[in-house]
Amino acid sequence: MATTSDFRNGLVIEYNNGLCIITEFQHVKPGKGPAFVRTKLKNIRTGKVLDNTFTAGVSVVTARVERRKHQFIYSDDMGFHFMNTETFEQINLPADMVPSNDLLKEGENVDILIHAEEETPLMVELPMYVELRVSYTEPGLKGDTANSPMKPAEVETGATIKVPLFIENDELIKVNTGTYEYDSRVKEN
């Protein structure tokens, strides 16, 4: 059990007969009336984000969740296969438990959230940014630079990302896994 004073980003609580992870929270003390906590809760099973307000000091049931390091090995008809980097045990997860799975390349390290009491995997957390090679993009037109235009580029995993006009084929770029947005070029040694 925990109270609203224990809230932090990443805390997993039991809410509406499911497990939810707190993505945002804000303690509010209005001039009139009792204090409360505004939260954004992401349902781990469905991925749906809910806004909820808790009265300050109310008790909530927390779930014991562990983040375990895994490496993505490959995907096939059975799903996505990961290997625990400490025990070398392999785990197979369906595509709906792997968000942004079209940005995942073989050998990528991820965290898998495991419900500690039941030893069941809940979801995969990709790193904030991944480095991917551009496999194909149209050449940019010189002089077409008004309003910082973007063009589509296909990366090595098959995903399509909007990139600036100066990006060319076979360049390594950094992509935000949460928004699918281009971040920067990656310098290669």
Side-chain angles (χ1 to χ4, degrees):
M1 294 291 281
T3 64
T4 55
S5 62
D6 299 319
F7 280 7
R8 66 183 187 286
N9 289 342
L11 180 69
V12 178
I13 62 171
E14 291 182 15
Y15 180 74
N16 280 353
N17 299 324
L19 294 177
C20 293
I21 188 166
I22 297 175
T23 57
E24 287 180 36
F25 71 98
Q26 178 185 17
H27 290 277
V28 179
K29 175 68 175 112
K32 230 179 194 182
F36 58 90
V37 180
R38 276 193 196 110
T39 60
K40 282 194 186 278
L41 304 171
K42 181 177 180 184
N43 187 308
I44 290 179
R45 299 271 185 222
T46 64
K48 192 181 228 183
V49 177
L50 312 164
D51 290 321
N52 191 45
T53 303
F54 292 94
T55 305
V58 73
S59 294
V60 293
V61 179
T62 58
R64 221 177 92 225
V65 174
E66 296 176 359
R67 280 183 166 75
R68 297 185 186 159
K69 298 280 184 205
H70 284 73
Q71 185 177 42
F72 174 59
I73 305 171
Y74 65 94
S75 64
D76 60 13
D77 297 342
M78 303 289 287
F80 290 79
H81 300 267
F82 298 91
M83 178 183 66
N84 188 315
T85 57
E86 294 175 8
T87 63
F88 304 109
E89 292 177 16
Q90 291 189 15
I91 187 171
N92 178 25
L93 298 176
D96 62 338
M97 291 180 73
V98 187
S100 305
N101 57 34
D102 57 346
L103 295 178
L104 198 57
K105 66 179 179 179
E106 292 179 8
E108 190 76 43
N109 289 321
V110 299
D111 287 335
I112 296 183
L113 291 176
I114 307 283
H115 194 280
E117 285 126 28
E118 300 172 5
E119 282 297 315
T120 56
L122 299 173
M123 70 182 283
V124 175
E125 285 185 338
L126 269 65
M128 184 87 148
Y129 295 97
V130 291
E131 295 178 359
L132 298 170
R133 190 163 301 281
V134 175
S135 56
Y136 178 76
T137 186
E138 295 287 331
L141 299 172
K142 284 193 184 271
D144 189 10
T145 58
N147 302 328
S148 62
M150 305 289 260
K151 63 180 180 177
E154 187 175 317
V155 293
E156 62 187 296
T157 59
T160 302
I161 309 293
K162 293 276 191 186
V163 298
L165 293 177
F166 57 81
I167 298 295
E168 297 174 3
N169 290 336
D170 209 37
E171 277 194 77
L172 201 58
I173 61 171
K174 192 172 174 183
V175 177
N176 183 319
T177 58
T179 61
Y180 278 71
E181 290 178 351
Y182 164 86
D183 184 68
S184 62
R185 280 181 177 162
V186 176
K187 290 188 178 184
E188 298 183 65
N189 297 341

